[in-house]
Amino acid sequence: MAKDIRIVEVGPRDGLQNEAAHLSLEDRRQLVSLLASAGLRYIEVGAFVSPKWVPQMQNSGTLISGLFELKKEKVISSGVQFSALVPNPTGMKDALQTSLTEIAVFGACSESFSKKNINCSIEESFERFAEVIRLAKQNRIKVRGYLSTAFGCPYEGAVSPKVAVNLVQRLLKMGVYEVSVGDTIGVATPKQVRLLLRKLKDKVSLRKIAMHFHDTRGTALANVLASLDLGIRVFDSSVGGLGGCPYAKGASGNLATEDLVYMLHGMGCRTGVDLAKLVAMRPWIESRIGRQLPSRVGQAGVPSHRYDQ
Ligand code: HMG
Ligand code: MG
């Protein structure tokens, strides 16, 4: 039986935060609108972080108000769920000025990365998340959790699966509905993915786990396959393979949404995404970011024949 897979599109956030070109608000709005019209139903559109740290995400509040206007005008379907990153109560206060019904907190599995990315220790970050989650619950806002460097850290090397399992459990206990486990610098192979997911399965329901792969070393789709076999049904990806993380050197693009969708559809999975529409966005995005996108399916195009019979 075909599997339904939920794709969380992170291009407008994880993607754009690492592009040298800073897109205008109008272009960011247009990007989200195009993604929604290609069938993406979960889109992370911005981040309430410091503009001094990540200037690409500035004015996310204004962007989000514009996107809700597009929903009202039915340019964007009412079924599309927007979300944005929130690191601390300051960011949450800004998020509360918008109509968002979902946000995401983001922590790390290694101390050095936590310090570089959000300027605090893992323990301090969890204290901040507790307050963010409290404010979110008070305002009926759903919270997703991210854990970066779950397989490896650019500063500390390999990360023990025990660390990730413990932090996933803590985030779930705090009230996030799902944890996205991140291979931030694209070092994992299917062996590590299976090991971590088997350990996680002993402690939490894998229905509460999403996987977030970066394709830095070409292992992202292999890691998706390993995750699918173990029961994961939610994957983060970014259109064209945009992205990375400004505080993880070498964290090149996220797994490209086109590549993920092509493989999933070819395996009989359903995503709700129109692959041809997604691929057709490519020239527009490339013209805005001023470089070629790495997605393989984007470069090769959607085949005119079906090969999945
Ligand atoms: P900080 O400097 O430690 O904050 O930054 P602070 O509390 O000391 O305050 C200093 C100043 O920042 C103050 O302003 C605050 O008001 C302001 P001043 O008085 O100097 O004028 N400030 C803020 N401004 C806007 N929004 C806020 C905010 N908080 C304080 N929320 C902070 C701490 C977390 C804000 C900073 O470190 C930051 O913005 N970091 C950026 C983190 C980021 O966006 N990283 C990329 C995303 S994570 C990622 O990509 C990984 C992921 O994709 C998964 C994966 O791949 O593994 C999720
Ligand atoms: Mg990422």
Side-chain angles (χ1 to χ4, degrees), residues 282-300:
R282 184 181 170 81
W284 183 87
I285 302 175
E286 288 181 341
S287 75
R288 296 314 192 265
I289 62 167
R291 70 175 182 103
Q292 218 191 19
L293 286 166
S295 158
R296 312 280 173 84
V297 174
Q299 285 175 30

Side-chain angles (χ1 to χ4, degrees), residues 156-175:
E156 296 176 18
V159 172
S160 158
K162 267 193 201 158
V163 177
V165 171
N166 174 264
L167 294 173
V168 166
Q169 283 180 285
R170 282 184 65 183
L171 276 177
L172 288 173
K173 265 199 198 122
M174 286 167 78

Side-chain angles (χ1 to χ4, degrees), residues 10 13-14 17 44 47-54 57 85-92 94 105-107 113 115-120 128 146-150 180-185 212 214 236 244-247 254:
V10 296
R13 192 280 303 171
D14 205 353
Q17 76 183 12
E44 198 170 77
F48 293 97
V49 298
S50 164
K52 285 184 196 140
W53 285 61
V54 187
M57 290 295 104
L85 294 189
V86 172
N88 56 12
T90 306
M92 190 63 204
D94 292 341
V105 293
F106 54 108
F113 183 79
K115 188 81 189 137
K116 292 259 187 206
N117 194 40
I118 49 177
N119 206 23
C120 64
R128 293 174 188 182
Y146 277 100
L147 279 176
S148 294
T149 59
S180 168
V181 175
D183 182 19
T184 314
I185 52 169
H212 179 111
H214 284 248
D236 300 351
C245 173
Y247 295 102
N254 285 76

Side-chain angles (χ1 to χ4, degrees), residues 166-234:
N166 174 264
L167 294 173
V168 166
Q169 283 180 285
R170 282 184 65 183
L171 276 177
L172 288 173
K173 265 199 198 122
M174 286 167 78
V176 308
Y177 75 89
E178 173 176 280
V179 180
S180 168
V181 175
D183 182 19
T184 314
I185 52 169
V187 287
T189 68
K191 183 180 164 189
Q192 279 96 50
V193 171
R194 283 192 204 102
L195 183 71
L196 177 57
L197 288 178
R198 287 196 180 114
K199 286 193 186 298
L200 270 173
K201 203 174 186 171
D202 289 340
K203 303 283 185 189
V204 302
S205 162
L206 289 188
R207 284 196 295 187
K208 294 185 172 172
I209 302 298
M211 296 306 287
H212 179 111
F213 294 117
H214 284 248
D215 204 22
T216 320
R217 292 168 182 82
T219 54
L221 280 179
N223 291 338
V224 168
L225 199 53
S227 310
L228 275 173
D229 287 346
L230 284 164
I232 298 295
R233 298 292 178 262
V234 186

Side-chain angles (χ1 to χ4, degrees), residues 109-128:
C109 297
S110 54
E111 290 294 346
S112 316
F113 183 79
S114 180
K115 188 81 189 137
K116 292 259 187 206
N117 194 40
I118 49 177
N119 206 23
C120 64
S121 69
I122 295 174
E123 244 1 269
E124 285 164 337
S125 73
F126 273 68
E127 283 163 26
R128 293 174 188 182

